[in-house]
Amino acid sequence: MPAVTVNDLTTLERLRSPGLGDQPRPVWQVTTAPQGYEGEGFPVRRAFAGIDLAQLDPFVMMDQMGEVEYAPGEPKGTPWHPHRGFETVTYIIDGTFDHQDSHGGGGTITNGDTQWMTAGSGLLHIEAPPEWLVQSGGLFHGIQLWVNLPRDAKMNDPRYQDLRSGEVALVTSPDAGSLVRVIAGSVDGHAGPGSTHTPMTLVHATIEPGARLDLPWDVDFNALVYVLGGKGTVGTEGRPVRMGQSAVLGAGDYLTITADGSQESRSPKLDVIVVGGRPIREPLAWAGPFVMNTKAEVLKAYEDFQRGHFGHIPA
């Protein structure tokens, strides 16, 4: 799991330890992600399936893509498809993906890169492995998070943010037992490169066996922990979690994640995505690739797509 790694964690700035009066976030719910296939047939885990949308707000869904080792000729992507009303955040941990859209945006993202696409008023886009990767095969692993847009931003012009792995803020826990990558938002004053319409924070943390991470977290944000690999516990109450499980946490100043002392050989450390944001608290009408406020707006999105208002597939 390359993403961004650091040989010596002691060289990084340290997160503060919880102080007097800081409240730990309790664990409300632990769910297990069902597995399926997306696009042309790449495997995904629906990370937040079974979690009420009110607890996810401002997020809509998240997929863990892979982890899969493709043989030559096997790598798959998605065909051209539309989006409106939200943002997609694609974070590649292993492998390479090409993005292209009908507004001229896109590019190539690889180990530790993130592509932040604001669909806004609507576009067509495609995600696919480059031809050389299709021919050679290889490891593919990443996540895609859907972030809702508030009503007054849903029809904004589409745009891309290309966030390179070297731009991510890197910090560690007081005992240097965890590598915390801040992709967007801010953790204890350490800001990631992602610029968001909806105030939020996105973190990828790797926790050494037996280590504990007390992660300061904005009190106005919700908090969700998803296990990419390994096993451990969440919360000061020690709720067990393992690969493919999500934990929903309640209110507080920080959240606690602890890695088990022994891990499986294929996942020697505990890797988690931690995400949270300020709830939008607006009506949600979601159907396929369109995330709007009302059913009428969703139907209008389908009509606009069918009439070609989202642009055209580049030659």
Side-chain angles (χ1 to χ4, degrees):
M1 187 173 292
V4 183
T5 58
V6 175
N7 291 329
D8 185 0
L9 293 176
T10 64
T11 63
L12 299 177
E13 292 189 47
R14 311 292 174 97
L15 296 169
R16 65 177 175 86
S17 298
L20 186 66
D22 284 343
Q23 296 297 313
R25 288 180 175 247
V27 178
W28 282 351
Q29 180 184 12
V30 173
T31 62
T32 301
Q35 300 184 53
Y37 292 90
E38 188 56 83
E40 296 171 340
F42 60 85
V44 299
R45 285 184 173 91
R46 304 291 190 195
F48 296 154
I51 299 173
D52 190 279
L53 284 171
Q55 293 180 334
L56 287 182
D57 186 12
F59 310 107
V60 181
M61 59 165 280
M62 187 173 80
D63 281 344
Q64 180 182 12
M65 306 179 294
E67 179 176 9
V68 59
E69 182 76 44
Y70 284 121
E74 286 186 344
K76 298 174 176 66
T78 67
W80 284 92
H81 58 283
H83 285 309
R84 173 181 279 179
F86 66 103
E87 301 181 289
T88 64
V89 182
T90 306
Y91 171 55
I92 297 298
I93 299 166
D94 281 297
T96 304
F97 232 23
D98 285 341
H99 279 226
Q100 189 179 10
D101 77 19
S102 55
H103 286 248
T108 299
I109 50 175
T110 188
N111 303 340
D113 295 338
T114 302
Q115 201 149 69
W116 202 294
M117 186 187 78
T118 303
S121 59
L123 48 65
L124 308 174
H125 85 141
I126 187 172
E127 304 153 299
E131 186 58 35
W132 63 264
L133 183 59
V134 175
Q135 293 175 2
S136 66
L139 188 62
F140 178 69
H141 190 201
I143 66 157
Q144 186 172 93
L145 173 70
W146 288 18
V147 186
N148 194 13
L149 288 171
R151 187 191 306 272
D152 61 4
K154 284 190 177 295
M155 298 303 286
N156 283 2
D157 291 339
R159 74 176 184 126
Y160 262 104
Q161 296 178 68
D162 195 15
L163 312 178
R164 292 298 159 183
S165 59
E167 301 173 309
V168 170
L170 302 177
V171 290
T172 188
S173 49
D175 65 354
S178 305
L179 173 58
V180 178
R181 308 165 186 87
V182 185
I183 299 168
S186 179
V187 174
D188 194 27
H190 302 277
S195 173
T196 70
H197 284 282
T198 302
M200 59 163 287
T201 297
L202 173 61
V203 163
H204 173 196
T206 302
I207 306 169
E208 299 287 335
R212 167 173 164 161
L213 172 63
D214 290 324
L215 190 66
W217 207 249
D218 192 309
V219 294
D220 294 329
F221 291 1
N222 62 353
L224 301 117
V225 176
Y226 177 73
V227 182
L228 294 168
K231 56 184 179 177
T233 64
V234 177
T236 54
E237 62 267 51
R239 288 282 294 272
V241 289
R242 54 177 168 78
M243 182 177 70
Q245 290 190 318
S246 293
V248 182
L249 292 99
D253 301 281
Y254 70 97
L255 54 94
T256 296
I257 309 166
T258 305
D260 284 358
S262 62
Q263 301 284 338
E264 299 174 0
S265 58
R266 69 182 298 270
S267 299
K269 303 175 185 180
L270 175 61
D271 267 275
V272 298
I273 294 291
V274 187
V275 64
R278 184 178 299 153
I280 296 172
R281 295 192 176 95
E282 292 179 353
L284 183 72
W286 170 27
F290 306 125
V291 181
M292 306 303 292
N293 294 110
T294 67
K295 181 179 178 180
E297 290 170 344
V298 171
L299 293 174
K300 181 65 164 56
Y302 274 107
E303 292 173 1
D304 288 347
F305 164 58
Q306 291 166 351
R307 291 171 179 169
H309 293 172
F310 285 25
H312 301 281
I313 297 172

